[in-house]
Amino acid sequence: MGGSRAQVNKPHKTRFSSKSSRNIHKISHKDKNWIAKSNRNVTQGARAARLQRSKMLREQKKEALLKEKRASSGSASPPRVILLFPLSASVNVSSLAEDILRLLSADVGGAFSSTVVSSEYKLRATVLHAPHGDLLSCMEMAKVADLIAFVASATEQSTCDYIDSFGSQCLSVFRSLGLPSTVVFIRDLPPELKRRNDAKKIVTSSLTSEFPEDCKFYPADTKDDLHKFMWLFKEQRLTTPHWRNQRPYLIAQKVDMVPDDSSPEKCTLLLTGYMRAHSLSVNQLVHVSGAGDFQLNRIEIMKDSIPLNARKDHNAMDSDDIQDAEIIHSLAPDPSSQEPLLVENVPDPLAGEQTWPTEVEMAEAERNQKQKRLRKRALPRGTSEYQAAWIVDDTDGEDSGVENDGDDDEDDDGMLLDEGESGFPSQEDTNNSDFEEDQASLHLRDSDEETENDSVMMEGDNMTREQIEDEIKKIKEAHAEDEEFPDEVDTPLDVPARKRFAKYRGLKSFRTSSWDPKESLPPEYARIFAFDNFARTQKHVVAKALKVEQEGRDDCAPVGSFARFYIKEVPFHVASKLCAASRTAPIVLCGLLQHESKMSVLHFSIKKHDSYDAPIKSKEELIFNVGFRQFVARPIFSTDNINSDKHKMERFLHAGHFSIASIYAPISFPPLPLIALKSAAGAGTPAVAAVGSLRSIDPDRIILKKIILTGYPQRVSKLKATVRYMFHNPEDVRWFKPVEVWTKCGRRGRVKEPVGTHGAMKCIFNGGLQQHDTVCISLYKRAYPKWPEHRFPANV
């Protein structure tokens, strides 16, 4: 083509500049084989390492399972605890318990629980049968049971008859505590084989949904049925809740008391039984269920009265055998290493007080006063001595200006709004408040009666039946009102709102505004303990306890040993109650970890039980069952805000959702289950009020009580409105002027000024206000739990 440009072939760009340099980079066949072989060796080595690691993990698991099996069913293991629980009142578990004990041993005692040894099955067992209708005894037995055998009768006609109301309630409580290994015994089956199998299928299909997936059903009418079960039970690997394996515990086979000569009100409590879960040091603190925390006087390791491998004429444990058991050796505590029974911190009441001035300070103050008098001041010409006395110095003027700042601007005299960046308001008193108002504030210091005093009902012994009914009616009405109009309160007519709600403040934002957790703490906070890092402390304490057990020290009672524990300085009336209660329920001794006797603020995730209908108000007295421990507490309930460090207090524990219960109680390391009991007015047996688990230990958790003051629009003009009935005098309007107002229809605004002399105020909103709307102000103050009068149920 005539005008086209000639095509030019550009040189091809390669990695190599020439053909000769390209040959330099070639790899020989021998080198290729060497590289492939080395890569193959690396791959095979990594695979061999993985196989070796997997083999090592399998061997470790096998060793752990074998060790666990030997510990649970060996000759040194404690007897297995079997709990027979009737699902309905028509089931007779006493006869079933006798059949099982007779199968294991011919010599059976007549007590409510009996520990026997069987040479045929090579098994030691303690059989407990739960009394139907006694919730507390059933709950204590379920805490220590290795196997819960639920007993059902095949003669019932419908599914609801297999489990009655009490059985259903106990089953839900057992689930909250954590179920160990479970089985179901079916009694009263027909003798014919076909009808027997059909009846068993009906019962199994009806009850399968109520129990765990691995729960199996066994007939339990004849000796052959029980014989088959025992052979399976002997080889069964039992599972227990995790919280039970964290601490050593003992089920008392015998409870006795020895009076203390030095103190007639104290005595020494003797508990005899088998050590379980972990070894217990004589220097540790122990908790006796329902009685409290104590120190040990000594531990006596005794010869087992019913050993598994010994040949004896009888195979059942009697009280005489326990009393006459041979003492192998005794463990005494070391005063230098024994953990002290420290419950509360002892505050110094004069720690923050100002001391009386010394003579040197008083002399210096007089000298400064004289110099001030002799100081020459520049006075206007013609000023007399009388007039000069009224002229204030520059330094005095500065001080008086700070004090009288509120007189310059009338709007500055009021409640300051906490905006988050500027810290916390200092609510200064107005200068126009007279002496009578100051005296009224002294009388109204404890005027927050709805949380401080109303939550405590009068003692049942001092109230008539009509008074008790009226009190219950008032609580139910308050519960219904709190559900319909939460947090709303009425401004009193006879008390100024700035005095009545002096402890409250406004927040610009509940989520983002700051609140100092160390500000204005109550006196009870001087008696409790706190952790800098609770998670790190728990990890250290658990590791220390595990190290002590692995060392196998001489001051510890090993797992499976038969021992007698001498618990010192137990109140005489508490020991008497425990001796009487041991006839119907097991008495459990539990070893405590480090710091677990000290008081702090515990937070529980709690939910109201489905079977409890009565309202539960904040600061009411409840009995908390936390693991093996029992104590009395008066909690406050609050929400759980994930995105905020502040949590709103709830006046009642409402059904259907979880709340946080905060109490003053001894420290316990989670995880631990919670069963909250409440004693009804005039009733002796407490009922299950709520269930849950231990959440955390944190005294700095901020719980805010919210109140809402309401008013109603009188005149509305576009964005402005005149609101009345929220306050009853103009001074209160000026005091609460910095706080933001809002309406139930979604408008927000501010207070502009008071109108008239009856507490009406003019407000400006961000949108048009409707005449039927309600104007509100939100105020907050920090709430704290109530210190319990009695720490443990046995002391009540």
Side-chain angles (χ1 to χ4, degrees), residues 14-75:
T14 63
R15 300 174 51 204
F16 311 105
S17 59
S18 65
K19 187 179 293 186
S20 60
S21 63
R22 181 170 53 193
N23 294 330
I24 297 176
H25 294 274
K26 283 186 177 180
I27 301 173
S28 64
H29 184 70
K30 182 179 179 180
D31 293 337
K32 284 184 179 180
N33 293 336
W34 181 81
I35 293 174
K37 186 177 180 181
S38 62
N39 291 336
R40 186 164 56 252
N41 291 338
V42 171
T43 305
Q44 291 177 354
R47 183 172 179 270
R50 289 197 305 270
L51 293 175
Q52 183 66 21
R53 177 173 174 78
S54 301
K55 182 180 178 181
M56 183 180 63
L57 292 176
R58 284 198 304 270
E59 290 178 353
Q60 289 178 355
K61 289 182 179 180
K62 286 181 181 179
E63 291 178 0
L65 288 175
L66 186 60
K67 183 179 178 180
E68 182 182 353
K69 185 177 180 180
R70 288 172 179 171
S72 61
S73 60
S75 59

Side-chain angles (χ1 to χ4, degrees), residues 460-500:
D461 298 338
N462 301 329
M463 298 176 65
T464 62
R465 183 179 181 85
E466 290 77 10
Q467 290 176 335
I468 293 176
E469 293 177 353
D470 293 342
E471 191 72 24
I472 294 174
K473 184 178 180 181
K474 289 180 181 178
I475 293 178
K476 289 184 177 180
E477 291 176 354
H479 180 266
E481 184 179 356
D482 182 67
E483 285 187 338
E484 187 175 1
F485 305 104
D487 307 322
E488 292 189 14
V489 297
D490 296 329
T491 306
L493 296 173
D494 54 344
V495 180
R498 63 186 182 279
K499 299 294 182 181
R500 173 63 181 82

Side-chain angles (χ1 to χ4, degrees), residues 631-684:
F631 41 79
V632 180
R634 300 175 65 181
I636 60 171
F637 307 113
S638 61
T639 58
D640 187 18
N641 295 334
I642 301 177
N643 299 325
S644 175
D645 61 342
K646 295 176 288 297
H647 311 273
K648 179 179 169 297
M649 174 187 164
E650 296 178 342
R651 290 174 173 81
F652 292 88
L653 180 61
H654 298 290
H657 65 275
F658 279 90
S659 298
I660 302 297
S662 304
I663 62 172
Y664 292 116
I667 293 171
S668 298
F669 292 106
L672 284 172
L674 165 67
I675 305 295
L677 306 177
K678 182 181 178 183
S679 298

